[in-house]
Amino acid sequence: MTEWFNDLKAQFILNFINEGRWKYLLNGLGITLEITFFALLLGISIGVVIAIIRSSYDNTVETMDSGLGHTILKLLNAISKVYLTVIRGTPVVVQLLIMYYIIFATSNNKIFVAVLAFGINSGAYVAEIVRSGIMSIDKGQMEAGRSLGFNYVQAMAFIIIPQAIKNVLPALANEFITLLKETSVSGYIALQDLTKGGYIIIGRTYSAFMPLIAVALIYLILVMFFTWLVGKLERRLRSNDH
Amino acid sequence: MTTENSSLNPRGKDVLIEVKGLQKHFKNSTVKALDGVDTTIKRGDVVVVIGPSGSGKSTFLRCLNLLEVPSGGHIWFEGKDITDKKNDINKMRQKMGMVFQSFNLFPHKSVKENIMMAPVKLGVMKKDEATERTKQLLDRVGLPDKIDAYPGNLSGGQKQRVAIVRALAMNPDVMLFDEPTSALDPEMIGEVLDVMKKLAREGMTMVVVTHEMGFAKEVGTRVIFMDSGKILEENTPQEFFGNPQNERLRSFLSKVL
């Protein structure tokens, strides 16, 4: 028993203490959180805009007569559809590599490239989630807003979107968790995120067990913490309506 | 300001809404929901629209503030053609309050926020001014203690009274009611009708689509009977109920009265 424990202790010191190897994990965690945070902001922004375009088109395609506004909406809707198809139809690693090696081949800012790639990827999923939320809101809500004198965009912003987001919060939280874990492929463009940090330690110490378990545990704790946070937020929002 | 607008109307300064040859056909339907409706609503009128379901009465009402876009004809509100795309419909809607059958309160906002949202965000009133008006209006409909409640905690009758207040908060020149009591439990109809009657007696111009014949008799200045998208009879309540001319109206009244 003591021998097993001593061995474990030696492994721990070798992998995390010697040469300050724990810093690979800490710095990696910082990068993972940074990419996730900004990609999340970008994803939600893209997602909400695309969702509004798509649902506006679906709502008005029957009633709107031809005009400049309708043509623009039609075009935006077509672009959105292409975006959704391409992003959801290809692996995120491939998108990341295309972004890094082709589109931003001259850029050295890897974090920027990663944020862009993951944000654009996440935006496609957020768009469909938010769209389902918008479609779940009774059309009387929009009519009530318009009848008071709000224009379409104001009614969307003040009345529809807040309710839609509230309704899809669990699905959005799920997308966020997916995003956080997907950033673990950042190592493909030589970004030293959390996963890559663990991988570097393995390269130094030739022992896989400790670094990998540590990396997995950190992801797990992050996800559990976030799930708890969203649960709290959900309960607070729900307490208003019965 | 509104009196200046109405003076633009060549037909007389007390005309608020003028409807000419109003047509509406929905895309997926072969029958016309509205088939040439003409009428004039003057300031202070309480016009009650009745008719069987599918007669086009709700469609007519919803055309008045362009929630339904007419397929033909014109509607002038305070002298301006609302079907003309050059006129800002959002500005005109601020002067036309609407109350819906299913209340359509905003469930994520408190009663106070429901009422204050439009006046404040649309820049019609300052926040403290709107707060004052909200309290005053809630007092008038007997709900001063519900100011911080959420719609989910209100009864149907209370919701509809809040919805009326929400529309009134914008100081509209006309109030449109789309079957305001049809979704209510019988014992709650009275409290909503009382608020509407009070409003009518105070001189608010109202267009009311309803099945409440008592309301029409008591406070209506004019009653309109619609069927298959047309106005078949239009008269004072006394004449309308006492001496109906149209055959279709007579058979309708014999069934509902």
Side-chain angles (χ1 to χ4, degrees), chain A residues 142-219:
Chain A
M142 174 57 89
E143 288 185 349
R146 297 303 304 272
S147 80
L148 288 165
F150 287 120
N151 63 35
Y152 185 85
V153 175
Q154 288 170 322
M156 269 286 172
F158 301 145
I159 299 159
I160 308 297
I161 296 293
Q163 294 185 63
I165 297 281
K166 193 161 120 180
N167 285 357
V168 296
L169 206 59
L172 276 181
N174 196 37
E175 168 54 27
F176 171 76
I177 289 170
T178 306
L179 171 65
L180 172 72
K181 292 185 295 180
E182 268 181 351
T183 60
S184 62
V185 299
S186 299
Y188 272 90
I189 60 167
L191 255 176
Q192 293 192 12
D193 73 318
L194 180 57
T195 306
K196 183 74 175 181
Y199 199 69
I200 291 171
I201 297 176
I202 297 175
R204 300 278 148 81
T205 61
Y206 299 106
S207 85
F209 179 79
M210 278 273 177
L212 287 182
I213 295 297
V215 166
L217 269 178
I218 295 172
Y219 278 115

Side-chain angles (χ1 to χ4, degrees), chain B residues 32-159:
Chain B
K32 287 178 175 173
L34 290 177
D35 191 5
V37 173
D38 304 282
T39 194
T40 304
I41 294 153
K42 290 184 178 154
R43 219 170 274 278
D45 272 358
V46 178
V47 177
V48 181
V49 185
I50 64 170
S53 53
S55 60
K57 54 192 193 305
S58 275
T59 308
F60 165 68
L61 190 78
R62 290 162 56 83
C63 279
L64 293 182
N65 68 351
L66 221 62
L67 280 186
E68 296 295 351
V69 181
S71 319
H74 292 276
I75 300 165
W76 290 270
F77 174 65
E78 300 186 328
K80 286 189 202 151
D81 189 351
I82 72 162
T83 56
D84 187 343
K85 284 200 173 126
K86 279 182 227 117
N87 287 327
D88 183 1
I89 182 61
N90 298 315
K91 262 273 174 301
M92 286 191 272
R93 280 185 182 139
Q94 293 184 15
K95 290 278 145 204
M96 313 171 97
M98 188 162 203
V99 176
F100 300 86
Q101 180 177 349
S102 47
F103 328 125
N104 296 342
L105 291 179
F106 309 132
H108 62 305
K109 300 276 182 193
S110 71
V111 166
K112 186 180 172 184
E113 291 166 326
N114 261 279
I115 298 166
M116 287 176 56
M117 186 152 97
V120 173
K121 299 230 187 220
L122 291 169
V124 179
M125 282 175 211
K126 292 245 161 38
K127 206 168 177 180
D128 36 340
E129 193 187 343
T131 311
E132 205 44 51
R133 177 130 177 92
T134 299
K135 284 181 186 159
Q136 190 191 334
L137 285 169
L138 281 175
D139 246 10
R140 265 172 61 187
V141 301
L143 294 171
D145 53 326
K146 296 293 182 193
I147 189 159
D148 291 317
Y150 277 81
N153 296 327
L154 301 179
S155 73
Q158 291 171 334
K159 277 184 197 166

Side-chain angles (χ1 to χ4, degrees), chain A residues 78-92:
Chain A
I79 294 171
S80 304
K81 269 184 158 167
V82 171
Y83 161 74
L84 292 176
T85 309
V86 170
I87 294 300
R88 294 198 298 175
T90 53
V92 66

